[in-house]
Amino acid sequence: MTIRILPAIGDPDAARAVSSLLNQLPDAEPAPTVADSAALLDALAGAAAQGAAASSAGSPAAGPPSAVEALPEVVLVHERIGPTPALELIREVALRFPAVGVVLITTDAGPALFSAAMDAGARGVVGLPLGYDELAARVQAAAQWSAGVRVHLGAGPETAPGPAGTLVTVTGAKGGVGTTVTAVQLALAARAAGRSVALLDLDLQSGDVASYLDVQFRRSVVDLAGIADISVRVLQDAVHDHHTGLGLLLAPEEGERGEEVDDRAARQIIGALRSRYEVVLVDCGSQMQSANAAAVELADVALLVTTPDVVAVRAAKRQVRLWDRLQIRQAEDTTTVVNRLTRNTEIQPPLVAKATGTQVARTHVPAAFKELQPCVDAGRMQDLDGKSTVRQALWALAGELGLVDSPAVRREGRGSHRARPTLTGRKRKAITPGAAPGSGPGQGPAPGSASGAGLGIRFGARRGSAAAAGGSGPFDPAGPYEEG
């Protein structure tokens, strides 16, 4: 968001110092300094009159009144402004132009003056001599307050409120662990639950979301990188409306253009998406750059996808340590998703949790690439069969993360107890009362027996009780069965 700033400073030396610092602020648009209180009030009244005249000449705006939109977001008032005393001037600006945030610049930043300035209607106090960090913090806080007031004065389609949508990032421990498949299926699950979903591809050099969903596109995330103020209309032009209902903001076809998206642009783009969508899924790939690092830092849920092998788990551990060193995210705030898990894998989820220091999702994704291959080759991941164990697991993961609120979608993702296949992809053999193979008449296992040795399957002691109680099912390693 571009912050329009109007300084009202009577002291020439202070005016030069303030102008120099304002020119260094990101996204700031400082106006020429006014020298006295009368000039300030005239400038604000003139801006409001011009906005009102523009509104009456054209069609009525659906958003906040144009008279308010034409005003600067922040006004800086120096303590030595005249002829009206600074506190009286702040009170008058607050009464006549309530959507403008006023910041007082003073040599006395003590509690008494601070309280008097707040009572007069100021949104902040900056002490002299000026410092860049303090001035930037006060200006940005006043601008955010001003933007919120303007939303409440008349929120229209062009006015983006503050971030509201849930932000979930999906990062791979290394390449090829299933990051994009996970992000796409989580987005589809959330959309099937009736939530508005945006899928952002921040794997800027090698993003494949478009390939997995068979999308031909012209605009990408790079087209938003150079825009200072992303309105809803600008965002709509860049987002591809997929027939599944997903909003796709894709990585550029030319990987070298990914360098144009820095952390500032990523924060702005994510903020714009969160203001419009209930859920924002971000595919961060496996290589950390400033853009996807900013996304991980902002995320409500940060997923780290790994496979249960030594190389991938070591890579996951390196990724977690990198985030910690850069103060992006702590290990305990990261959720690891174990993909391609089999019963015979020596590295099981508890060991992954211990090695990485992260939380491990209760839902694990089985190894069943044969189910995925037709959809991957066709570039139509949305057509993955509902009976697929991979889809069932990932949609169950969406429910675990709170992305799926509908019980019907949860049932579709998890499947019924009898229909669910094993993690190895093979169907369970039913144990029926009667004679077992190779046994005499009447020698078969009784109903409910846990033996089943003649069928080559040994069930754990909690197998039947967990299923009857609606337990976590075959994706929960707490009560697995064993194949003889």
Side-chain angles (χ1 to χ4, degrees):
M1 179 183 76
T2 301
I3 303 174
R4 294 167 295 178
I5 307 170
L6 178 57
I9 304 172
D11 186 352
D13 293 333
R16 284 192 294 270
V18 170
S19 297
S20 175
L21 289 176
L22 291 180
N23 288 327
Q24 300 176 36
L25 295 180
D27 302 327
E29 185 178 313
T33 304
V34 295
D36 55 52
S37 59
L40 172 62
L41 294 175
D42 289 344
L44 293 175
Q50 290 179 0
S55 177
S56 61
S59 59
S66 296
V68 175
E69 284 296 283
L71 293 170
E73 284 78 18
V74 180
V75 168
L76 301 178
V77 176
H78 191 264
E79 63 177 358
R80 296 171 59 184
I81 195 74
T84 305
L87 293 181
E88 292 298 325
L89 179 60
I90 291 173
R91 183 174 289 106
E92 186 169 358
V93 171
L95 290 174
R96 292 179 57 184
F97 311 100
V100 175
V102 184
V103 177
L104 175 63
I105 301 176
T106 177
T107 55
D108 179 16
L113 182 60
F114 183 87
S115 177
M118 295 300 105
D119 291 340
R123 301 308 308 172
V125 175
V126 180
L128 290 171
L130 290 174
Y132 173 85
D133 292 337
E134 184 181 10
L135 180 62
R138 299 296 176 267
V139 167
Q140 290 173 359
Q144 291 176 358
W145 174 86
S146 175
V149 170
R150 297 176 193 215
V151 169
H152 291 292
L153 285 176
E158 293 297 325
T159 305
T166 302
L167 177 62
V168 180
T169 58
V170 185
T171 307
K174 58 186 292 293
V177 296
T179 308
T180 302
V181 171
T182 301
V184 169
Q185 287 298 324
L186 290 178
L188 291 172
R191 181 66 191 125
R195 310 184 73 178
S196 59
V197 182
L199 179 56
L200 170 61
D201 194 348
L202 279 185
D203 188 1
L204 296 172
Q205 291 188 351
S206 55
D208 282 324
V209 169
S211 299
Y212 276 80
L213 292 174
D214 191 23
V215 173
Q216 302 294 327
F217 65 99
R218 294 184 299 108
R219 298 189 181 277
S220 69
V221 65
V222 173
D223 295 310
L224 297 179
I227 299 177
D229 189 7
I230 302 176
S231 66
V232 174
R233 184 171 301 172
V234 171
L235 188 65
Q236 286 176 339
D237 291 339
V239 173
H240 177 87
D241 293 324
H242 197 252
H243 65 83
T244 58
L246 299 179
L248 305 179
L249 189 52
L250 303 168
E253 289 188 2
E254 303 84 6
E256 65 275 10
R257 295 197 62 194
E259 298 179 357
E260 301 176 28
V261 184
D262 56 9
D263 57 340
R264 183 199 62 81
R267 293 176 187 273
Q268 191 171 6
I269 292 167
I270 290 172
L273 290 172
R274 294 180 72 184
S275 69
R276 185 182 174 197
Y277 295 91
E278 296 177 80
V279 178
V280 179
L281 268 297
V282 183
D283 180 359
C284 293
S286 58
Q287 298 296 323
M288 279 292 101
Q289 301 169 342
S290 60
N292 47 24
V296 173
E297 183 180 7
L298 294 172
D300 299 305
V301 179
L303 299 181
L304 181 61
V305 182
T306 185
T307 50
D309 57 84
V310 173
V311 175
V313 173
R314 285 178 177 172
K317 187 175 181 179
R318 287 197 304 269
Q319 192 77 271
V320 170
R321 288 181 174 178
L322 173 65
W323 289 352
D324 184 64
R325 288 196 305 272
L326 298 180
Q327 297 183 353
I328 296 173
R329 202 169 194 88
Q330 296 180 347
E332 54 268 25
D333 296 329
T334 304
T335 302
T336 300
V337 178
V338 181
N339 188 22
R340 300 175 194 155
L341 183 66
T342 65
R343 295 297 188 194
N344 299 325
T345 303
E346 293 186 6
I347 299 179
Q348 290 293 316
L351 182 57
V352 175
K354 183 177 180 180
T356 60
T358 63
Q359 306 176 33
V360 173
R362 296 189 304 273
T363 305
H364 316 307
V365 185
F369 184 71
K370 289 184 179 180
E371 300 174 358
L372 292 173
Q373 188 169 6
C375 296
V376 170
D377 292 343
R380 297 184 61 84
M381 188 56 61
Q382 67 273 18
D383 293 340
L384 186 62
D385 192 348
K387 296 181 180 180
S388 164
T389 57
V390 175
R391 172 174 154 161
Q392 289 177 6
L394 289 173
W395 285 41
L397 176 63
E400 181 181 334
L401 300 176
L403 304 181
V404 175
D405 296 329
S406 170
V409 177
R410 280 201 181 102
R411 285 195 298 269
E412 182 182 356
R414 293 182 181 269
S416 66
H417 168 69
R418 293 182 181 274
R420 276 180 281 188
T422 69
L423 283 175
T424 57
R426 296 190 292 272
K427 295 182 179 179
R428 292 192 180 96
K429 298 180 181 179
I431 300 180
T432 57
S439 63
Q443 300 298 319
S449 169
S451 175
L455 297 178
I457 301 178
R458 300 188 305 277
F459 285 86
R462 301 195 316 166
R463 175 72 176 89
S465 59
S472 54
F475 303 120
D476 186 356
Y481 68 89
E482 299 178 1
E483 297 185 6

